[in-house]
Amino acid sequence: GQNIDQPTEMTATEGAIVQINCTYQTSGFNGLFWYQQHAGEAPTFLSYNVLDGLEEKGRFSSFLSRSKGYSYLLLKELQMKDSASYLCAVSNTGGFKTIFGAGTRLFVKA
Amino acid sequence: DAGVIQSPRHEVTEMGQEVTLRCKPISGHDYLFWYRQTMMRGLELLIYFNNNVPIDDSGMPEDRFSAKMPNASFSTLKIQPSEPRDSAVYFCASSLYTFPMTGDGDQPQHFGDGTRLSIL
């Protein structure tokens, strides 16, 4: 079967660092994505990992371990505007069928 | 550069009525995706097209749902007859990319703003 697990909610303080974990089991693997979605808006792309290791992009970093079926999104220097849902998604073999996790709602407090 | 355009933004209709959602992908993109998002089930892929041809419709919930792409710049998702459990946000997305993404400018799917559908 195919399954993507991530925590339902997290709370963190402005200026802090937060790590959002994602574990997956899918039939085939062709890349893992992280998306940000603010309430009432469309998902927007944050990061893509296809090889093991860490990808850094400004305040956001994403890590992948294919052998463990595990990824995390790291957000540094949290800002209030980072309050949103973060979706972990995996593309299966062939690349175009993307399975999304239920998302993690992040609340950033002052 | 216009993004993916969906219409209507909001639709409220009564159970049993036909609902048609529309999508205009980004010009030049050859993949188009329809998703449904609910609190209970999250974001689900319903169907996707490549060069106007449906490739995988295994996510379409039942025969009441149908999708077409008559040309490269237009797609519809139709529900007939609609039921209250169809209430959700429906997103259309388009893309032009290959796997694995190789360039810094590569982006996966570009999403439209969605159609919020309420079936009473």
Side-chain angles (χ1 to χ4, degrees):
Chain A
Q2 303 190 100
N3 195 47
I4 297 178
D5 287 318
Q6 48 183 134
T8 304
E9 287 186 1
M10 298 182 71
T11 300
T13 304
E14 192 176 19
I17 299 173
V18 71
Q19 178 174 313
I20 303 174
N21 296 323
C22 170
T23 57
Y24 64 89
Q25 291 177 307
T26 57
S27 55
F29 178 84
N30 209 357
L32 185 141
F33 302 87
W34 283 95
Y35 284 82
Q36 181 190 60
Q37 186 176 26
H38 285 99
E41 298 182 8
T44 55
F45 169 71
L46 288 178
S47 69
Y48 169 68
N49 295 70
V50 66
L51 300 175
D52 289 353
L54 189 68
E55 294 282 341
E56 297 186 76
K57 194 183 293 185
R59 294 190 300 115
F60 294 74
S61 302
S62 57
F63 171 83
L64 175 67
S65 169
R66 289 172 297 171
S67 62
K68 295 182 180 178
Y70 169 69
S71 173
Y72 67 73
L73 179 69
L74 196 70
L75 291 77
K76 304 175 188 174
E77 302 169 14
L78 279 173
Q79 303 174 10
M80 299 299 287
K81 67 178 182 178
D82 297 329
S83 293
S85 286
Y86 291 86
L87 309 178
C88 174
V90 174
S91 282
N92 67 353
T93 305
F96 294 103
K97 186 160 186 174
T98 303
I99 308 300
F100 282 81
T104 298
R105 278 186 292 174
L106 175 66
F107 299 94
V108 180
K109 58 182 182 178
Chain B
D1 182 20
V4 175
I5 299 172
Q6 291 187 245
S7 64
R9 288 297 310 277
H10 302 273
E11 174 91 11
V12 180
T13 192
E14 291 187 346
M15 183 175 68
Q17 297 297 307
E18 178 179 287
V19 173
T20 300
L21 311 181
R22 298 171 176 80
C23 175
K24 176 179 169 55
I26 293 173
S27 178
H29 282 192
D30 51 6
Y31 285 87
L32 184 139
F33 307 81
W34 282 101
Y35 289 90
R36 177 174 68 177
Q37 187 173 39
T38 61
M39 289 293 292
M40 291 296 294
R41 300 175 68 90
L43 193 63
E44 303 173 277
L45 176 66
L46 300 178
I47 184 172
Y48 77 90
F49 296 82
N50 176 219
N51 291 323
N52 314 338
V53 176
I55 303 301
D56 187 338
D57 65 355
S58 59
M60 295 286 264
E62 47 196 277
D63 291 345
R64 297 185 297 107
F65 285 70
S66 62
K68 294 182 180 179
M69 192 165 186
N71 57 63
S73 59
F74 183 66
S75 176
T76 60
L77 178 68
K78 190 170 292 187
I79 309 172
Q80 167 64 18
S82 58
E83 297 182 3
R85 60 191 168 122
D86 302 330
S87 297
V89 180
Y90 291 81
F91 287 103
C92 175
S94 70
S95 72
L96 173 62
Y97 64 99
T98 57
F99 274 89
M101 298 196 300
T102 56
D104 288 340
D106 285 349
Q107 292 277 336
Q109 301 162 28
H110 298 250
F111 284 81
D113 288 335
T115 295
R116 186 172 296 274
L117 177 64
S118 297
I119 308 297
L120 305 178

